[in-house]
Amino acid sequence: MSLANGRPHIAIPGPSVMPDRVLQAMHRPAPDIYDPGLVQIMSSIVPDLKYVAQTDGYVAMYIANGHGIWEASLQNVTDPGDTVLVPATGRFGHGWAETARSIGLTVDVIEHGRQSPIDPERVRAALRADTDHKIKAVLAVHVDTSSSVRSDIAALRKVIDAEAHPALLMVDCIASLGCDRFEMDAWGADVMLAASQKGLMTPPGMGFVFFNERAKARRAEVKSVSFYWDWSNRAEPEMFYMYFAGTAPTHLLYALREALTMIREEGIEAVWERHARLAQMLWTAVEHWGQDGAFRLNIADPAHRSHAVTAAGLGKGQGDRLRAWLTEQAGVTLGIGLGAEDADDPTASGYFRFGHMGHVNAHMMLGVLGAVEAGLTALEIPHRAGGVTAAAQAMAAKP
Ligand SMILES: *Cc1c(COP(=O)(O)O)cnc(C)c1O
């Protein structure tokens, strides 16, 4: 006997929960790829993506996951041998750095560990030392999904400008777009990356590279870009066939179209606010439980915590026990810890992650928290009882 039967809830940091409306939008036969309806959908998606990203710039769409988009973005603005600066705040910063190395770039990493946001002063020092402007781009991850730390992107723009350094500011928003506030133009990102399966509530398989005029000008100076990765045709297609340099991902487009309609209906400000309030409920519960026992949020300062994903530690071996119990007994699956192999990380043992990106509301969050409290009790993991009540009070309180 298990209480898990019923609708499962996969609360991992991507792929995220898909709304029924999104699932239903895909339930149709294959279209003619020259169908006017499909062409219309493709062109209508562009302004809505720009709305979510808060930009008047360009967007190129790819059939690729986040790893593909890491590569696509770099191919358009660098030549082999160029240098990029990576202020890494977790596994995903290092992942982007590995992609950069694999295509022949020289990568300068500023290691920030797994519990701190990007320090703009360390970026400033690296740019200042780069007197002959070898650094072509700063690669910053807005929310590093492994550590759940959120960095201040506008502060990086200020530093680059203050140093009058020509490096592009490239930002990975794969975890944060449509969850955490992000304003591409106002914050001064030159290039921004996103993927379909997180805040955009669409199945994995599509990636997006947003870019501005500065990045477009840099693209024109790059010696060569493969036909497939080149963003020029994708962002400004002469024929709709060029949007994807081949067959369009038809059903992902139907899904994305519906997901963007849902974001438009709610309004991006309300979407950000919902994520912030739900995250607050989660943090309140964990901080309450942690008053007795080892339960800890990975990021101490709320100002630097993501509203899309939360990494937490629970003491040696206990995180895996709790995750297994939740899946088997409650139908809730939390994300594994990434980077848990690091001995210098205080939360390494028992480290795991809550995904709360996209199609998540208060009863889903309270359901997860109630199941976690039941699991802590059933497994006799030390904690202070009452975390769920504390979260409910946080929900009821006026923001
Ligand atoms: C998920 C994620 C990626 C990788 O995306 P994939 O689609 O798994 O390749 C990269 N960066 C961040 C911040 C992510 O959250």
Side-chain angles (χ1 to χ4, degrees), residues 65-67 70 92 141 143-145 172 174-175 195 197-198:
N65 62 15
H67 284 69
W70 277 341
F92 288 86
V141 178
V143 164
D144 197 297
T145 322
D172 172 344
I174 296 172
Q197 77 272 23
K198 299 194 183 182

Side-chain angles (χ1 to χ4, degrees), residues 14-333:
S16 64
V17 175
M18 283 185 280
D20 288 342
R21 281 173 62 178
V22 169
L23 291 170
Q24 281 153 12
M26 289 185 284
H27 199 97
R28 59 175 104 177
D32 174 1
I33 55 166
Y34 303 104
D35 178 68
L38 190 62
V39 177
Q40 204 277 326
I41 281 179
M42 267 195 263
S43 44
S44 78
I45 279 173
V46 169
D48 286 356
L49 283 171
K50 291 185 194 175
Y51 164 72
V52 175
Q54 298 284 292
T55 182
D56 293 327
Y58 304 91
V59 59
M61 299 186 270
Y62 294 85
I63 300 179
N65 62 15
H67 284 69
I69 293 309
W70 277 341
E71 180 168 337
S73 57
L74 291 171
Q75 291 282 4
N76 277 277
V77 291
T78 59
D79 286 309
D82 282 352
T83 298
V84 293
L85 181 68
V86 180
T89 56
R91 182 66 212 116
F92 288 86
H94 288 286
W96 202 3
E98 282 156 19
T99 296
R101 271 184 220 109
S102 78
I103 60 168
L105 302 179
T106 299
V107 183
D108 291 348
V109 174
I110 306 177
E111 178 59 61
H112 284 70
R114 293 177 194 277
Q115 294 188 301
S116 315
I118 296 172
D119 177 356
E121 291 311 317
R122 293 183 69 191
V123 173
R124 184 197 303 281
L127 295 176
R128 192 168 285 179
D130 180 39
T131 46
D132 46 0
H133 293 168
K134 279 210 179 70
I135 296 169
K136 298 300 175 199
V138 177
L139 314 189
V141 178
H142 183 214
V143 164
D144 197 297
T145 322
S146 63
S147 59
S148 71
V149 75
R150 178 159 49 89
S151 291
D152 184 345
I153 299 303
L156 292 177
R157 173 83 269 159
K158 285 205 189 87
V159 160
I160 295 171
D161 289 352
E163 296 303 314
H165 196 290
L168 293 176
L169 176 57
M170 301 176 70
V171 186
D172 172 344
C173 288
I174 296 172
S176 54
L177 192 76
C179 306
D180 283 282
R181 173 180 292 277
F182 184 80
E183 301 177 52
M184 178 166 170
D185 292 355
W187 294 2
D190 296 307
V191 178
M192 188 273 276
L193 284 52
S196 52
Q197 77 272 23
K198 299 194 183 182
L200 294 175
M201 308 179 287
T202 298
M206 280 183 77
F208 312 94
V209 180
F210 298 79
F211 57 96
N212 65 9
E213 293 292 348
R214 278 189 76 217
K216 185 179 169 180
R218 179 71 62 82
R219 160 69 193 90
E221 293 165 8
V222 164
K223 290 191 192 78
S224 80
V225 182
S226 76
F227 174 77
Y228 193 75
W229 283 142
D230 194 350
W231 69 28
S232 312
N233 285 326
R234 291 170 183 266
E236 296 177 285
E238 277 170 28
M239 294 173 301
F240 71 86
Y241 193 70
M242 303 305 298
Y243 273 116
F244 289 96
T247 304
T250 54
H251 285 61
L252 291 176
L253 290 169
Y254 297 136
L256 181 63
R257 176 60 273 158
E258 190 62 27
L260 289 168
T261 299
M262 291 175 70
I263 291 173
R264 280 273 194 193
E265 285 169 3
E266 186 173 357
I268 192 67
E269 288 281 348
V271 168
W272 292 332
E273 180 66 15
R274 172 167 54 82
H275 282 83
R277 296 283 312 276
L278 294 174
Q280 184 67 54
M281 289 163 64
L282 169 60
W283 305 339
T284 301
V286 174
E287 282 168 347
H288 183 97
W289 291 322
Q291 288 174 56
D292 298 318
F295 216 153
R296 293 286 179 277
L297 295 167
N298 186 45
I299 303 302
D301 183 350
H304 299 310
R305 292 178 195 150
S306 166
H307 299 155
V309 53
T310 298
L314 190 52
K316 199 168 167 51
Q318 302 291 41
D320 287 343
R321 277 181 82 211
L322 179 66
R323 284 185 60 256
W325 189 93
L326 287 169
T327 300
E328 286 158 21
Q329 302 299 326
V332 174
T333 299

